[in-house]
Amino acid sequence: MLPLYLLSFAATIPAFSQLLPGSCNFESNTCGYTSDADFTSWTMHKDGHFVAVETATNDEPDDNTGSGFEPKREITGILLSPVLEYEDWSCLRLVYQITESGSLEVLQRTEGKSFDKLLWSSQTPSDSWVISSMDLLNDTEPYRVVIEGKPGMSVGSSVAIFEIHISPGYCLECDFEESHLCGYTNQWNANVNWYVGGGGINFIYNNMPDDHTYHNKTGHFMYADSGYSKTLKEVAKLASPMTNVPMSGCLSFQYQRMEDRGNLFSVFTRDRLGQYQELWRAGSEDQGQWSKTTGEWIPVQVDIRAPYSVQVVFEAAFRSAGGGHVALDDVSFSPEFCSTDAEPIFDPSIANCDFESGFCHYTQDQVTGPSWRRVSVKPNIFRNGDHTTGAGSFLLAHSQLGPRSGYVSRVISPTLPGNMKYCLRFYFSLRGFNQTEQALTVYLLQQQSGSQEKIWTQAEKSRGIWIAADVTFQPSQPAKVAFVSTCRSFWDCGSVALDDISLSFGDCELSAGSLSSSLSGHCDFEDGMCGYTQDKQSDAADWELRRGSTPTSYTGPRGDHTSGLGRYLFVEASPMLPGQNVRLLSRPLRGARGPQCLRFFYHMYGSGTGKLRVLIDDDGEDMLLWQRSGEQSVAWLRAQVEYECNRRHQIVFEAIRGASVRSDIALDDIILEGGPCPETENSSTSGTSNEIE
């Protein structure tokens, strides 16, 4: 028996699958992979057959620390693949090791685009080689795979690549014929585990089957047996690689069970939080299709919907040591559902609404009446605008807007299918409520049973700013979401505002990562500066990260734009003199064909506010793209700038102090994307809206 956990990357099993261009085992050369000359070079190790980038150290000990050899500087190595052209879906498997500390990223670079698309990343060190898998979607444009390694600052840190393996098909698919087992891993258990079967090995059990792929004893499959099982709590778990792109379709596999009454065999999906959802469970009815004498494999097809990252987990459990065995082979995937009558894929964005063009698919309760009003606020220095742009529309329930002293306002979403996990995000702002628990509540309205379930209630006093709320829920039947604001009497109530409702699949904890961690070119400053740096030629002050209000009164924002409780970047005007400037530089950007769109939110509030400018630094020459002067609004305002530059360049944000210390300027939620900027909607001409001066 060969335990899966003991399988290393020794080439003991012949490779049968087709390898695509871009694959490399670094045995004698780098297969067309090259190091980016602007960064540290990856080194080919002749004795180890791998490439690595390592932390550089000083030749002399550091007298200040007394800790011996210390790294000189941060090291980054960029490894570029040859140009790849894959018309069909393919799977990239990477065998790598991070020693001591460091990070490794795999990205996709398309010619003519300023930013690379992140496919996968890791910062987890290990004592041995690790395999990771990532799906490469079919693409009509040629591209390169970019591998970025950053060894940590501690001595001995390195990032190494042993093998790059690209094959046609999906990463979920596996016939278990290769030594890497397609990245499938066994969750080690003291008594019950998955093992590699076949390969001409003589087994203790004479009733082990031929494999399904080749129908002989030399092919391979996975199996779990009950030889040492003591209790059903001991479960053998075989987990696929984690998907990195949305996948929906038909999952197929072959299996066998011996002594079906003595074992259980199930298939689940498991997300990044470790939460399981059952896809399929073997039943006694399957036994009629299987002949014990011939060892027939049983085919299974099951629909899978994975709009977020999941693993497929095959679980086998045994009641006793005489519980027989379970065998598995030939896992495959098709983007078409198994049955033609499968429900169509639901698009959760149907419940998205920024209220710029009306109520979208939301409706108001016919019983309580239309208490929610769609309103807009012109940029001013007294009252906050909407969250979407700072000058657009949002929903408002206000005791002074209704004909009664009290009210119950209900705005209801479109119907959502049951048995799916959803993440609801929305923004709210409260003014004047004494009973905040009644100011805004979210209910789930079950369609079939007619029951309602409270899934969120207000706990954070918003202080008149926009605050983000995230709610995870999973209805058992079709349901609607209702936003309810209750005002019992005029004296207890104020106003509640609602904006930017969005709905996606999965747990909110999985999608709560910042913009900067998910997409290149996006930065919300929650995890740092995202590669933006200070221009040291202008040292009057610095752009600083901040939460809450700025130190000087009557200037600057009271919270960030992303969530109301997060971080933003600002310039404190107090230590500066009038006319002094502070510049923020993006990392160098590759030139791109066609237009690029820069979007960001800015805050310019204060009687002495100076100027904010956006420029392109093109080989030392500044070109002005956009600017605003003087006090603009107490709200965060959205700006978007379209430009073209086919040479290497940097984006520059320049803040210039005004006449007084009330001149703080702030930035948040910067997004730079390829393609033209979307046309801004004129909310005053679409739908109905009340304007609040």
Side-chain angles (χ1 to χ4, degrees):
M1 293 185 294
L2 295 177
L4 174 59
Y5 72 98
L6 289 179
L7 283 174
S8 65
F9 298 101
T12 56
I13 301 176
F16 294 98
S17 67
Q18 174 190 357
L19 291 181
L20 296 175
S23 301
C24 192
N25 60 13
F26 301 103
E27 286 293 323
S28 57
N29 58 58
T30 60
C31 314
Y33 281 82
T34 56
S35 291
D36 190 322
D38 292 331
F39 299 88
T40 301
S41 295
W42 288 75
T43 304
M44 180 86 172
H45 288 240
K46 296 180 181 180
D47 56 343
H49 303 288
F50 61 89
V51 293
V53 57
E54 302 172 342
T55 296
T57 58
N58 289 321
D59 296 332
E60 299 294 334
D62 191 329
D63 295 335
N64 295 328
T65 63
S67 57
F69 295 102
E70 297 294 329
K72 293 180 179 179
R73 53 184 169 80
E74 184 180 65
I75 299 295
T76 299
I78 304 291
L79 192 65
L80 302 174
S81 77
V83 176
L84 306 176
E85 296 186 66
Y86 302 140
E87 295 184 359
D88 298 318
W89 199 296
S90 55
C91 176
L92 186 153
R93 295 187 176 95
L94 183 72
V95 183
Y96 71 96
Q97 183 177 1
I98 299 174
T99 304
E100 293 293 339
S101 65
S103 65
L104 184 63
E105 291 184 347
V106 179
L107 307 102
Q108 183 177 346
R109 176 175 297 179
T110 303
E111 187 68 26
K113 293 186 178 180
S114 291
F115 287 97
D116 302 328
K117 176 184 176 183
L118 179 65
L119 300 176
W120 171 90
S121 65
S122 177
Q123 296 180 343
T124 305
S126 66
D127 296 326
S128 60
W129 296 107
V130 180
I131 185 170
S132 185
S133 304
M134 57 214 76
D135 286 288
L136 302 175
L137 282 69
N138 47 334
D139 203 324
T140 56
E141 295 186 69
Y143 62 86
R144 296 178 187 266
V145 170
V146 180
I147 301 176
E148 180 177 305
K150 292 183 179 181
M153 301 297 286
S154 58
V155 175
S157 295
S158 67
V159 178
I161 305 296
F162 182 85
E163 183 177 356
I164 300 169
H165 180 288
I166 305 178
S167 58
Y170 301 84
C171 291
L172 285 178
E173 298 180 317
C174 196
D175 58 13
F176 305 106
E177 299 299 334
E178 297 188 59
S179 57
H180 54 59
L181 301 178
C182 315
Y184 276 73
T185 55
N186 175 60
Q187 183 173 315
W188 170 246
N189 187 297
N191 297 314
V192 180
N193 291 281
W194 286 91
Y195 299 90
V196 180
I201 298 173
N202 293 321
F203 290 92
I204 297 175
Y205 307 100
N206 295 323
N207 55 3
M208 294 301 289
D210 291 349
D211 96 310
H212 179 267
T213 312
Y214 299 107
H215 305 287
N216 58 32
K217 296 291 185 183
T218 60
H220 298 83
F221 56 90
M222 302 303 298
Y223 77 95
D225 70 72
S226 61
Y228 299 99
S229 178
K230 298 178 181 179
T231 171
L232 270 174
K233 293 182 180 180
E234 296 176 324
V235 180
K237 297 184 179 183
L238 181 69
S240 76
M242 186 74 70
T243 61
N244 64 304
V245 293
M247 298 180 66
S248 294
C250 182
L251 178 71
S252 305
F253 58 91
Q254 304 283 336
Y255 84 99
Q256 288 192 22
R257 293 170 72 202
M258 188 190 75
E259 304 292 345
D260 67 304
R261 294 183 180 179
N263 59 63
L264 300 174
F265 181 43
S266 307
V267 183
F268 300 84
T269 58
R270 181 173 64 193
D271 63 24
R272 293 188 183 275
L273 297 177
Q275 297 172 345
Y276 284 75
Q277 183 171 351
E278 185 174 279
L279 291 178
W280 174 88
R281 181 184 295 269
S284 58
E285 64 274 8
D286 298 327
Q287 199 66 17
Q289 308 173 33
W290 177 47
S291 169
K292 292 183 180 180
T293 56
T294 61
E296 182 180 350
W297 288 89
I298 302 175
V300 174
Q301 290 188 325
V302 58
D303 286 333
I304 179 174
R305 290 175 168 85
Y308 46 88
S309 294
V310 297
Q311 293 173 291
V312 175
V313 182
F314 298 89
E315 292 195 356
F318 304 92
R319 291 185 169 86
S320 66
H325 70 256
V326 175
L328 172 71
D329 203 4
D330 291 342
V331 181
S332 62
F333 176 80
S334 168
E336 303 293 332
F337 285 113
C338 307
S339 57
T340 56
D341 58 349
E343 293 184 6
I345 300 174
F346 174 71
D347 182 3
S349 67
I350 193 175
N352 294 358
C353 194
D354 60 12
F355 304 104
E356 296 302 309
S357 301
F359 276 75
C360 306
H361 296 283
Y362 285 81
T363 57
Q364 299 214 55
D365 193 315
Q366 298 301 318
V367 177
T368 60
S371 300
W372 287 95
R373 306 284 184 90
R374 178 172 163 267
V375 302
S376 63
V377 177
K378 289 183 177 180
N380 65 92
I381 61 172
F382 303 106
R383 188 181 180 93
N384 211 1
D386 80 321
H387 180 265
T388 313
T389 66
S393 299
F394 58 95
L395 294 190
L396 182 68
H398 197 305
S399 55
Q400 294 180 350
L401 294 180
R404 306 177 303 275
S405 61
Y407 62 82
V408 177
S409 300
R410 289 158 57 98
V411 62
I412 302 172
S413 77
T415 302
L416 313 176
N419 298 315
M420 293 292 292
K421 184 176 289 185
Y422 298 97
C423 173
L424 172 70
R425 165 167 276 214
F426 59 93
Y427 289 83
F428 68 94
S429 178
L430 303 179
R431 284 177 177 268
F433 268 89
N434 292 327
Q435 298 175 341
T436 56
E437 68 275 6
Q438 294 184 347
L440 184 61
T441 308
V442 181
Y443 290 92
L444 196 60
L445 309 180
Q446 306 280 0
Q447 296 292 92
Q448 297 172 4
S449 64
S451 62
Q452 68 177 27
E453 174 191 355
K454 183 188 294 185
I455 58 175
W456 180 88
T457 188
Q458 156 63 9
E460 181 74 32
K461 293 184 178 180
S462 73
R463 311 185 309 278
I465 64 174
W466 290 104
I467 290 183
D470 292 329
V471 187
T472 300
F473 63 95
Q474 185 170 355
S476 59
Q477 55 185 272
K480 296 183 177 182
V481 172
F483 296 87
V484 181
S485 178
T486 304
C487 169
R488 298 302 181 190
S489 70
F490 174 84
W491 303 107
D492 288 333
C493 304
S495 64
V496 55
L498 183 65
D499 203 6
D500 289 346
I501 302 173
S502 62
L503 188 71
S504 59
F505 287 121
D507 196 295
C508 291
E509 191 172 340
L510 294 173
S511 58
S514 61
L515 288 168
S516 50
S517 64
S518 59
L519 295 169
S520 299
H522 293 210
C523 189
D524 58 14
F525 302 107
E526 298 304 314
D527 295 326
M529 299 286 287
C530 316
Y532 285 90
T533 57
Q534 314 283 349
D535 186 348
K536 295 305 180 181
Q537 294 179 355
S538 171
D539 57 358
D542 283 333
W543 288 90
E544 304 174 27
L545 290 170
R546 181 82 179 181
R547 291 185 194 272
S549 302
T550 59
T552 308
S553 60
Y554 300 105
T555 186
R558 288 181 289 170
D560 78 320
H561 177 266
T562 312
S563 68
L565 304 173
R567 299 204 291 184
Y568 58 90
L569 207 58
F570 89 110
V571 172
E572 171 60 40
S574 300
M576 301 172 63
L577 297 176
Q580 287 186 322
N581 69 331
V582 182
R583 289 162 59 97
L584 181 74
L585 307 179
S586 73
R587 66 174 179 80
L589 306 173
R590 296 191 306 276
R593 298 190 303 265
Q596 304 284 299
C597 182
L598 172 67
R599 285 179 288 164
F600 60 94
F601 283 84
Y602 65 97
H603 198 280
M604 299 175 69
Y605 165 63
S607 58
T609 302
K611 184 181 296 184
L612 176 63
R613 304 202 303 167
V614 179
L615 311 101
I616 285 183
D617 184 342
D618 181 3
D619 196 22
E621 296 291 329
D622 284 347
M623 180 176 71
L624 180 65
L625 297 179
W626 176 96
Q627 71 174 358
R628 289 291 183 273
S629 299
E631 188 174 49
Q632 299 294 310
S633 175
V634 73
W636 284 98
L637 300 177
R638 186 179 70 183
Q640 61 180 33
V641 184
E642 188 175 305
Y643 75 95
E644 293 190 29
C645 186
N646 57 12
R647 295 190 300 273
R648 191 177 178 90
H649 62 280
Q650 289 177 285
I651 300 293
V652 181
F653 293 92
E654 181 184 56
I656 302 174
R657 199 201 116 150
S660 75
V661 294
R662 292 191 173 92
S663 183
D664 293 350
I665 294 175
L667 292 171
D668 204 4
D669 293 341
I670 301 173
I671 300 176
L672 180 57
E673 295 177 315
C677 291
E679 293 185 8
T680 57
E681 297 179 1
N682 185 356
S683 60
S684 62
T685 61
S686 56
T688 59
S689 177
N690 298 304
E691 189 172 284
I692 300 177
E693 295 294 344

